[in-house]
Amino acid sequence: MTAELGHFALILALCVALVQMVVPMVGAHRRWSNWMAVGDMAAAVQFVLVSLSFAALMWAFITSDFSLRIVTANSHSAKPMLYKVTGTWGNHEGSLLLWVLILALFGAMVSWFGQALPAALKARTLAVQAAVAVAFMLFMLLTSNPFDRLEIIPLDGNDLNPLLQDPGLAFHPPFLYLGYVGLSITFSFAVAALIEGRVDAAWARWVRPWALLAWVMLTIGIALGSWWAYYELGWGGWWFWDPVENASFMPWLLAAALLHSAIVVEKRDTLKSWTILLAILAFSFSLIGTFIVRSGVITSVHAFASDPTRGVFILLILAIAIGGSLTLYALRADRMRSPNAFATVSRESALVLNNVLLAVSTVVVFLGTMWPLIAEALTGEKVSVGPPFFNITFTPFMVALAMLLPLGAIMPWKRARLGRSMQPLWGMLALSVALGALVWSLQTGGRMLAPIGATLAAWIILGAIADLAQKAGGWRAKPSIAWARLSGLPRAEWGKAVAHSGLAILIFGASALTAWELEDIRTINPGESVELGGYTFTLDRVEQVRGPNYFSDMAFVEVTRGGEYVATLNPEKRLYPVQNFPTTEAGISSGALRDLYVSIGDQQPDGSWAMWTWVKPFANWIWAGCIIMSLGGFLSLSDRRFRVGVAKSRSSVAVPAE
């Protein structure tokens, strides 16, 4: 009965979404306030109904209701409770319901917290958001019903994919979807603005916090996925340019560009057309990511094994959402030109260049991801595009972006002088280069990757410090005056400095790890040792242990340095008997400056074990950088300007209805 209630609630939610899609839009066109007000009530009701549907599905997983096809295919009575709960979204149908739940949540949040929004803009935004929800609910009910019953109820289920039975990946999808789907609101704002024909500083101020929230959630989601791949897959890497990794990375890049472009619209009332396009493209790439994950056209450890025919439905959604919004953009964008001009050397120009670098980087990743599919369709031959391509083509744009950040942040609006803007940064640049030279002189090899990473990281962090110092009145300002000015800075300024510093830490961690990691692969007998990077890894023994729903060969590897005990690592080779699926659990000793990383393979005929050993310098700096970037985003979101009514804009551009 619970499943039927969930199914019925989902159907009712679809009906409410249809009302929300039509009535507020008509009301906004006719200027009927009572019709526009329907959008607020419908958004809240839709969220409640979808929440009930999702709760019903989760209850089916918790209680192991194997009469549901989805529970039988993705759960088991012996599975730990955490993974029974998270198994709700560890499959195609359940994750799609989570997607719709978050869509409804963001629509409801606009209804709850958008009291200061112009009534017509709010009504149109809620209507567009509902249209996206209608498309996905139809997709789910027609092709991917999570409440589909089985005629014959089995005694037990097939278990969840063992790779997903991990805390890191358990919480990875919700954060990722909060980012993916969060961009739907910026998309809805953009389409609503195009329909209304009005884009101004007030609109940008409303869009920025939603774009920032989506970007922060994407950052957390991507970091969780990277962390999971690092310790769960046992391959020693943290990023492989997998198609599904790229599917989340592309919207992240465009969301970052959207954030910076919206700043220009808010502060200078220009770049309106470009900002609207970025809002459309960011969510469009989220939809493309959905197609990549769910269509069955690619094979990935992250992808849902799904019927390729569902990809046709997703392509239809893509065609309507992307094609329709871009067509509307083509009709309206040329009428949103701003009369405000800016010099070639200015903060506006720096932000435009920032946007170009991020957008071109996205195109590079997109082409590398889709080229194997395109080549196979055109020639019939299978080709692969691996990490070397992405590293060579993507890295230069990120280096250029890192070089630009401090200068762009410190430049004045409208018109700047390059020499004057660089004046507070020359000392920081000298310190950064000196640090890079020191790193180069201390390293044992001649690779330039780590010194370049250290230079760029120091340049970004010291540049952020210089920017704050300028806002405090300069290095010679009295401490009391400097403190008063810094205390009065908007939190968004502090958030910007923290987020940029997080990016710097990530850059250094990635470059240092890539340049300096040490690796050893061999077969080893119990009692034998491996010397690597000054550490001695001794395989003491391998024991068979039993988990709640798996069997494991657990190794005990003692690590010493200079004869002193460091750690005991316990890499595992697990077997989940329900699916007869093996997984590798790495043994890791984490530290601020290095990780000691060991994974084991199968036992050899002679009784030895395959063992991979790594010493990974600064590995945790990668995820620390992501955490700091997220904290910077949350700090900016707490800015009072994002929590109170929108200030009256200086100017706006109205477009006559066509």
Side-chain angles (χ1 to χ4, degrees), residues 619-634:
N620 285 308
W621 288 43
I622 295 171
W623 299 288
C626 293
I627 293 171
I628 293 171
M629 281 194 291
S630 302
L631 290 176
F634 283 124

Side-chain angles (χ1 to χ4, degrees), residues 468-478 482 485:
L468 291 174
Q470 286 294 104
K471 289 179 171 61
W475 297 107
R476 297 181 180 178
K478 293 182 179 180
R485 289 180 175 178

Side-chain angles (χ1 to χ4, degrees), residues 290-428:
T290 300
F291 173 75
I292 290 174
V293 173
R294 300 175 189 276
S295 63
V297 298
I298 58 98
T299 301
S300 166
V301 69
H302 307 76
F304 293 108
S306 185
D307 184 355
T309 58
R310 292 171 176 166
V312 177
F313 205 113
I314 300 176
L315 280 177
L316 181 61
I317 296 175
L318 282 172
I320 295 174
I322 300 176
S325 58
L326 290 179
T327 300
L328 182 61
Y329 172 79
L331 294 173
R332 298 279 187 155
D334 62 337
R335 302 188 183 187
M336 295 185 181
R337 295 175 182 172
S338 172
N340 296 335
F342 52 86
T344 304
V345 180
S346 62
R347 184 178 294 190
E348 292 94 327
S349 293
L351 288 170
V352 168
L353 183 55
N354 165 286
N355 276 207
V356 170
L357 291 170
L358 289 169
V360 174
S361 300
T362 305
V363 172
V364 168
V365 177
F366 178 73
L367 290 176
T369 303
M370 301 303 293
W371 181 249
L373 301 178
I374 297 171
E376 185 175 359
L378 295 177
T379 66
E381 297 181 0
K382 291 189 176 182
V383 299
S384 62
V385 177
F389 166 81
F390 292 103
N391 292 338
I392 292 172
T393 57
F394 180 82
T395 303
F397 295 106
M398 291 300 99
V399 171
L401 182 66
M403 293 172 63
L404 175 67
L405 276 181
L407 180 59
I410 211 167
M411 277 184 174
W413 295 101
K414 193 174 181 178
R415 183 177 292 106
R417 293 181 181 178
L418 188 58
R420 186 171 183 179
S421 298
M422 277 296 299
Q423 188 173 355
L425 293 174
W426 285 118
M428 302 305 186

Side-chain angles (χ1 to χ4, degrees), residues 260-273:
H260 291 86
S261 185
I263 293 173
V264 182
V265 179
E266 180 184 348
K267 300 292 186 182
R268 296 291 304 146
D269 201 28
T270 189
L271 293 188
K272 300 174 183 178
S273 178

Side-chain angles (χ1 to χ4, degrees), residues 113-126:
F113 304 119
Q115 292 88 349
L117 271 170
L121 176 62
K122 183 180 181 182
R124 290 188 174 103
T125 300
L126 290 175

Side-chain angles (χ1 to χ4, degrees), residues 28 48 56 102 142-143 155 255 266 274 305 371 388 394 422 481 517 529 605-606 650 654:
V48 171
I102 296 174
L142 295 178
T143 72
L155 294 177
E266 180 184 348
W274 174 243
W371 181 249
F394 180 82
M422 277 296 299
I481 296 176
E517 74 173 348
S529 300
D606 62 357
R650 295 188 300 272

Side-chain angles (χ1 to χ4, degrees), residues 479-502:
S480 58
I481 296 176
W483 175 253
R485 289 180 175 178
L486 288 175
S487 301
L489 283 178
R491 291 184 185 176
E493 289 292 337
W494 288 100
K496 177 184 72 174
V498 171
H500 286 182
S501 298

